[in-house]
Structure formats: structure tokens, C-alpha cells
Amino acid sequence: MTTSTKWQLARAAAERYQTVLTPVILGPFAEALVDFADLQPGETAVDVGCGTGAAARYAARLVGVAGQVAGVDVNASMIEVAKSLPAVPGAAISWHVATAAELPQVAQTVDAVLCAQVLQFMPEKQPALVEMQRIVKPTGRVAISLWTPIEDNPYFFTLVDAVARHIGPETAVGLQSAFAFSNPDDIRSLLQAVGLGQVEMVIAQLDLPMPELSAFVPRHIRATPMGAGFDKVATAVQQAIVDEVCEKMAQFETNGRTQIPFRSHMILCKKET
Ligand SMILES: C[S@@+](CC[C@H](N)C(=O)[O-])C[C@H]1O[C@@H](n2cnc3c(N)ncnc32)[C@H](O)[C@@H]1O
């Protein structure tokens, strides 16, 4: 796997994404976005940039057997992993390899578009938002999550800072790119420009219980595009990064348990009519 700022992960990396990142950080936030979209039984939902499908699977439970759910991702490895996971009760999920800029859904057929931590990785965001606006029903909604600035996310900030100093900024950018679209004014302007103007934007903070950090940090790094750069440096350098993150995160430890706050924008858009 090479360092990539667009999270185009190969199959082994997509599996690591599912086993390492989804249970601890991305899964809880994907589910929080689905809750924010307030899905109802019988609705149709599309998870754009679904990755391994955390939002799609949770949405399938909520819309139930009368509903429909699709997951769309440009990365075939992510979709392969999504398909390989056990089915969840509720709606059957259809999986599609496609770019968000050309969604396979028919116009005005979707009640809720879900887009969890994806837009920041797209150099061209407008075509994807125009597509979301095209497929959503006039009465539907588009729910988007984007991390708040990295300085508001102490674990990510500390990790990126340590990787940048001990390895180099070109490796750190593999995680830093997840915070490339965090400014609320920039987000609002872009949504208004594509006719998704009726915007409700809140900051969701989840205090996530972390596994033992000395083991989790290297696994986490290897499940991101920073993995290749991390594997090239000496063990002592790797250990220095892990030690630094553990030391700085000790402030979030109580009775041997570490619970760290993570913050993301949750944005609900209605189509402008
Ligand atoms: C950080 S992951 C988030 C995955 C998932 N939504 C989640 O919350 O776990 C970003 C995802 O966006 C996908 N992605 C990036 N650019 C895309 C595009 N142009 N069209 C569709 N998916 C894209 C990547 O392949 C990756 O799966």
C-alpha cells in the first residue's frame, strides 16, 4: 500500500479498515450519522462512499425489510469486504462500485443519502453533491459527516503530529487529509452552491472507549494510508510515536480505561425546491 490522501485502499488494507478502524472510531460515527438522518421503516437509503458499509448496515436495520439500502464506493476492495460481511437483519443491501460523481441510482428515488467521512477526500466535491441532489426525492434529505478541525480531535492531532515529526509530513498527510474539509463556512458555501441550502449543522462529540493504546496505535497507523511510511522506519522510531501518543492520551484514562473525545460535523441538507 502506498501513502495516498484519497484512501484508495487495497484489499488487505480494506480488511484492516474494517477490523481496526470501524469497530473503534468510524463505525460509531457512521451510526451517529444514520441516527442524525432519522431513518424511518420502509425508507430508501444510499450510503455514498460506503467503505466497508458501517452506515449501510446500520441503516438496513432501521429501515427494515420494507426498506431498501444501497452502498456505493469507488474502491472495489472496500465493496468486496462489505459484501463478505455477514448479512444484518432488515433491508437487503445492494453494493455498487461507482464514483460518487456518477451514482447508479435513478433520479428522485431516495429518501436519505448518507455520506460519512467521504467528501474531504474528493478533489472535486461539487459533482458528487450534484449527484446526491439528483437521486434524493424532493422530500428527502442528504446527511453528511465531516471531521471538525484536527485540533478539536486530540487523538488524531497527537498521532498526526507525532508521525509528522518522527517520520515526515509526507507520511502524516495520509491521515491529515481526513481533516481537509472541516471549516463550517466552506462547507455551507459549497452546499448552497449546489442547491442543498437548507442546512442544519451540529457538532457531534462521541467519547469513544479505546482499546489498549500501545497495541492499537500501530494497528491503527497500518490501517491508514500512513502504514507504508510507518513500516519503512526503524522499530525505535515506531516505538517513539506509539509512546508519545500513549503519554499524551493518558489524560483521558480513568481507572485503567481510556475514553477519548472525537468530534465531527453532522450536516443535514434538504433539497431546495
Ligand atoms: C474514510 S473512508 C469512509 C468510509 C465509510 N463511509 C465509513 O464511514 O466507514 C472514505 C471512503 O470514501 C471513498 N471514496 C473516496 N472518493 C470517492 C468517490 N469519488 N466516490 C465514491 N467513494 C469515494 C473511499 O474509497 C473510502 O471508502
Side-chain angles (χ1 to χ4, degrees):
M1 182 179 67
T2 54
T3 296
S4 152
T5 55
K6 295 181 193 153
W7 286 73
Q8 294 313 300
L9 304 179
R11 173 70 195 238
E15 272 162 11
R16 282 197 289 273
Y17 182 91
Q18 171 58 27
T19 54
V20 179
L21 279 175
T22 301
V24 179
I25 304 171
L26 272 302
F29 270 96
E31 295 191 0
L33 181 69
V34 177
D35 284 336
F36 187 61
D38 193 23
L39 291 183
Q40 300 299 313
E43 285 195 318
T44 297
V46 176
D47 182 6
V48 175
C50 62
T52 55
R57 278 193 299 282
Y58 184 52
R61 289 176 188 271
L62 297 183
V63 300
V65 287
Q68 291 180 44
V69 175
V72 180
D73 201 286
V74 73
N75 184 328
S77 301
M78 288 291 209
I79 294 291
E80 272 175 39
V81 173
K83 281 182 174 170
S84 73
L85 297 172
V88 292
I93 308 175
S94 63
W95 301 104
H96 309 264
V97 178
T99 168
E102 233 171 295
L103 294 170
Q105 282 74 28
V106 173
Q108 303 198 0
T109 54
V110 175
D111 295 297
V113 172
L114 310 164
C115 186
Q117 309 299 348
V118 179
L119 271 185
Q120 61 266 58
F121 302 108
M122 293 181 195
E124 298 289 336
K125 302 176 194 356
Q126 281 218 10
L129 290 165
V130 167
E131 273 297 85
M132 294 179 206
Q133 143 98 302
R134 179 185 69 78
I135 65 170
V136 79
K137 291 177 185 174
T139 52
R141 63 265 190 218
V142 176
I144 297 168
S145 60
L146 287 161
W147 296 118
T148 60
I150 194 164
E151 297 77 11
D152 296 341
N153 282 285
Y155 171 79
F156 288 133
F157 180 79
T158 305
L159 182 54
V160 162
D161 179 56
V163 168
R165 278 184 294 98
H166 289 280
I167 304 179
E170 69 291 344
T171 298
V173 81
L175 178 59
Q176 203 165 20
S177 60
F179 301 86
F181 193 48
S182 292
N183 180 300
D185 294 335
D186 294 345
I187 297 168
R188 266 199 197 89
S189 321
L190 180 67
L191 296 171
Q192 277 165 4
V194 297
L196 286 170
Q198 296 175 39
V199 175
E200 179 191 347
M201 195 181 308
V202 300
I203 292 177
Q205 173 175 322
L206 301 187
D207 296 325
L208 299 178
M210 303 299 285
E212 171 59 46
L213 281 181
S214 58
F216 178 73
V217 170
R219 292 183 76 219
H220 178 198
I221 294 172
R222 291 191 172 101
T224 73
M226 300 191 295
F230 187 71
D231 280 334
K232 278 191 200 136
V233 298
T235 312
V237 176
Q238 297 177 348
Q239 195 57 49
I241 293 169
V242 173
D243 290 347
E244 198 170 308
V245 175
C246 291
E247 196 179 304
K248 291 195 173 154
M249 293 301 101
Q251 62 180 304
F252 299 110
E253 191 185 315
T254 314
N255 299 329
R257 291 185 168 198
T258 304
Q259 206 167 3
I260 301 181
F262 291 80
R263 298 180 185 97
S264 172
H265 297 295
M266 297 280 166
I267 305 145
L268 198 60
C269 313
K270 299 250 161 72
K271 206 161 171 161
E272 279 187 342
T273 47

